[in-house]
Amino acid sequence: MTDGTAWQHGLMDSSDARGDARNVDARNVDAVLSSITEHWSPRTVAVVNDYDVRVVKVQGEFTRHRHVETDEFFLVLSGCLRIRMDEAEVVLQPGDTYVVQRGLLHQPYAETETTVLLFEPSATVNTGDTPSELTAERRVI
Ligand code: NI
């Protein structure tokens, strides 16, 4: 422990072992979301082994896509998220979770501004197999 930062947050400093400083500082999801001005542009707030915890602000229709390699976890924080799939459409209210199975075509959309937490492998691209103008770079904060 050299700089005292982790000590102030009351957390163990594992940055030496990991070779970086990820996950050392406490994060506040509401603060991160309030700093986001674009829709469909996720921010990675934590890295858990090979997975990202991402938060995103959405409104309107997203690109219909699938993730060939992985399932995708959704937790709605505020608003209402609908996910259209071939066989069904789910409607997710705050507190609702849902897992889109790997390989399944899905199109998220939200009539009003909605905030969502995602949990998925760090290599996951938001538009999966269907690049579009909404494809976002991975942004770790
Ligand atoms: Ni997806």
Side-chain angles (χ1 to χ4, degrees):
M1 198 148 318
T2 53
D3 64 6
T5 303
W7 179 255
Q8 291 165 12
H9 288 284
L11 301 173
M12 294 294 289
D13 184 353
S14 61
S15 59
D16 289 346
R18 297 185 64 117
D20 59 44
R22 294 180 307 176
N23 293 341
V24 170
D25 293 330
R27 297 279 161 73
N28 183 280
V29 165
D30 292 334
V32 172
L33 284 165
S34 66
S35 74
I36 298 177
T37 56
E38 323 98 289
H39 293 138
W40 307 110
S41 181
R43 300 295 190 278
T44 294
V45 297
V47 179
V48 184
N49 297 315
D50 298 331
Y51 276 66
D52 280 8
V53 178
R54 298 172 176 171
V55 294
V56 63
K57 194 180 278 186
V58 305
Q59 187 169 5
E61 293 205 337
F62 194 60
T63 306
R64 185 170 185 259
H65 66 280
R66 75 180 111 212
H67 306 279
V68 176
E69 304 286 329
T70 183
D71 297 346
E72 185 168 45
F73 171 88
F74 294 78
L75 164 63
V76 172
L77 302 174
S78 69
C80 177
L81 182 72
R82 294 169 182 266
I83 305 176
R84 294 187 187 116
M85 293 163 288
D86 286 343
E87 301 297 324
E89 176 178 306
V90 293
V91 181
L92 303 175
Q93 305 289 347
D96 288 344
T97 68
Y98 190 75
V99 176
V100 173
Q101 302 294 311
R102 78 180 64 185
L104 204 63
L105 279 166
H106 56 286
Q107 181 180 31
Y109 74 102
E111 292 178 7
T112 60
E113 191 169 80
T114 294
T115 60
V116 181
L117 182 147
L118 302 162
F119 186 65
E120 55 197 349
S122 299
T124 304
V125 175
N126 65 337
T127 52
D129 65 344
T130 312
S132 77
E133 70 280 0
L134 294 175
T135 300
E137 293 288 315
R138 181 173 181 245
R139 294 180 68 170
V140 182
I141 62 156

